[in-house]
Amino acid sequence: MTNNPSDDHNPGVMIQDKQQPSRLAQSERLARMRLARSVNVGPVTFRKLMDRFGTARNAIDALPDIIARTGGKRRIALASRDDTIAEIDRGRACGAKPIIWGDPEYPAMLAAIEDAPAYFYALGRIELLNQPTIGIVGARNASANGCSFARRLSMALCEAGYGVASGMARGIDGAVHDACLSVTATGNGGTIAVLGGGVDVIYPREHDKLYRNLCENGCVISEMPPGLTPQARHFPRRNRIISGLSHGVVVVEAGRNSGSLITARFAGEQGRDVFAVPGSPTDPRAAGPNSLIRDGAILCDSVDVILDALQVSQRNNHLGEGIHHFDVNSRTATANRAADDFSDIAKSIDRDAQINRPENSPETIDNQEQNGSDTGHVAIDDETDRILELLSVSPLMIDQLIRASKLPADVISTMLIELELAGRVERHPGNRVSRIAE
């Protein structure tokens, strides 16, 4: 691997956003943050509201009408202005900047995924967010050889001018960040750490020194509010951001139930390349990458495999076009009220209500005068128990599970991810899943 890559591997042409977006008005920035933190408004619902109404302020004005026209089955609790400002102040106290969907700094690759975060906090070198990036993830209990190979890949990618994203976990993630930072000191590449908790919360604690180095010489981001302690259910959401930032994801050592396989799955769903480093069939840490290769992932035994695949990605410049091109002021955008049909938004709100539990009691916009109090919230724990009851140690088609549970496919997908992370279920070829015997 040379330090002066040819034009074929020039990362500078990976994303060319032809129209630089203007800076969002402060009132619109605050409105987007309030809308994104509202109960039952997840990333997909946020995007649908923005597509329909043009600006967050227009969308907020329309919320009572949306609830009324959809029968008031789901409550939307709008985050208060004071709570949102308090969150911004907590971010400011730790030096973090909110990067909002529509800001010039918002990564074009991340904005291209369906469930891109409405905003996230960033510390460190924010310019790295729009650098062509590869995600590298792997086992926490990684072998010395696995960490060594991950370090070599990371350093070679940085020397070629690419950034590397990972999750700051033990094992492979830590080795990746550390290797990139050693190269960054020479002025090449860079690394982005995507956290499961608040951007100011160091986890694991043993990475305190690494975290501080990342804040100074790399970039640390999180869509969670500052100060939030990470929980298991936060990490699948984190993983979709690692893959969303990246043109491809490399898995180096991962067990069958590893969260790294979830990152790889997200990458495939997002249309990104998936690479896997093969290993001995007798090593449980090789089970994940080997299964990915059987399912069609690119076998990765050197950095050249990645760079060759990226030549194809260089021609996919459409990924960065048209992402930020909407009104950035306040109420001047023209809303798309096609027949005032909010059924797609209602379905999205319904999915968010089943997936997410409110963590506070913000200002409510719920048409209570006409429909009474909200009775539509479904407790995710109860539904998870239902899913486990429907599963056995014999693999079941996920489509059959959806039909038997009578739950939306998106809800089932989220539950299975959480159960997979918890070691309760196992994926099988052919889109099948089984319960792990206790």
Side-chain angles (χ1 to χ4, degrees), residues 37-79:
R37 285 286 187 250
S38 299
V39 174
N40 294 340
V41 177
V44 176
T45 300
F46 175 87
R47 180 72 70 95
K48 288 182 181 297
L49 288 168
M50 293 300 299
D51 288 345
R52 176 62 63 90
F53 297 102
T55 71
R57 295 184 70 187
N58 283 344
I60 289 172
D61 287 348
L63 290 180
D65 189 34
I66 293 173
I67 298 302
R69 288 175 178 270
T70 56
K73 294 181 180 179
R74 293 293 182 192
R75 181 183 63 162
I76 295 180
L78 180 65

Side-chain angles (χ1 to χ4, degrees), residues 129-334:
L129 294 172
N130 274 297
Q131 179 175 349
T133 298
I134 294 295
I136 302 181
V137 295
R140 288 173 170 80
N141 62 332
S143 67
N145 283 337
C147 287
S148 176
F149 187 76
R151 289 181 63 88
R152 292 200 302 272
L153 280 183
S154 303
M155 294 174 70
L157 286 167
C158 284
E159 288 169 352
Y162 295 93
V164 180
S166 197
M168 209 182 84
R170 297 181 181 92
I172 296 297
D173 290 20
V176 164
H177 292 308
D178 188 64
C180 291
L181 290 168
S182 69
V183 176
T184 300
T186 66
N188 294 317
T191 185
I192 302 169
V194 187
L195 306 189
V199 72
D200 57 335
V201 177
I202 304 172
Y203 180 84
R205 292 298 308 178
E206 66 201 57
H207 279 170
D208 179 85
K209 183 178 179 181
L210 174 62
Y211 170 84
R212 300 189 188 286
N213 196 357
L214 284 163
C215 289
E216 183 175 349
N217 299 303
C219 185
V220 180
I221 70 171
S222 174
E223 69 175 325
M224 298 300 171
L228 183 69
T229 301
Q231 301 176 25
R233 61 190 175 88
H234 296 153
F235 289 97
R237 297 178 62 180
R238 182 275 305 270
N239 293 349
R240 88 188 193 285
I241 296 178
I242 294 175
S243 57
L245 287 166
S246 307
H247 284 272
V249 167
V250 186
V251 178
V252 184
E253 295 190 340
R256 290 190 181 277
N257 299 312
S258 170
S260 299
L261 300 188
I262 296 173
T263 310
R265 190 174 302 119
F266 280 134
E269 292 171 354
Q270 294 162 356
R272 315 296 162 85
D273 288 323
V274 178
F275 304 88
V277 178
S280 168
T282 62
D283 186 346
R285 290 168 295 200
N290 288 348
S291 68
L292 288 174
I293 293 169
R294 286 196 301 272
D295 291 340
I298 301 171
L299 188 153
C300 178
D301 57 2
S302 72
V303 72
D304 290 329
V305 172
I306 302 171
L307 295 177
D308 289 343
L310 289 178
Q311 291 184 52
V312 177
S313 297
Q314 289 178 356
R315 294 190 286 271
N316 292 340
N317 291 336
H318 65 276
L319 287 173
E321 296 176 0
I323 299 300
H324 301 298
H325 304 159
F326 45 72
D327 191 274
V328 296
N329 294 307
S330 56
R331 303 179 186 273
T332 58
T334 301

Side-chain angles (χ1 to χ4, degrees), residues 26 29-30 33 82-100 119-123 199-200 224-227:
Q26 288 301 316
R29 290 173 63 81
L30 183 62
M33 295 178 75
D82 289 345
D83 286 348
T84 306
I85 291 175
E87 179 186 308
I88 295 170
D89 288 341
R90 290 196 299 273
R92 185 179 293 116
C94 67
K97 176 181 179 181
I99 307 296
I100 301 170
Y119 70 94
F120 58 86
Y121 287 91
L123 284 165
V199 72
D200 57 335
M224 298 300 171

Side-chain angles (χ1 to χ4, degrees), residues 63-76 364-376:
L63 290 180
D65 189 34
I66 293 173
I67 298 302
R69 288 175 178 270
T70 56
K73 294 181 180 179
R74 293 293 182 192
R75 181 183 63 162
I76 295 180
T364 300
I365 299 178
D366 62 356
N367 197 39
Q368 287 183 352
E369 295 81 6
Q370 295 181 30
N371 296 288
S373 59
D374 171 39
T375 58

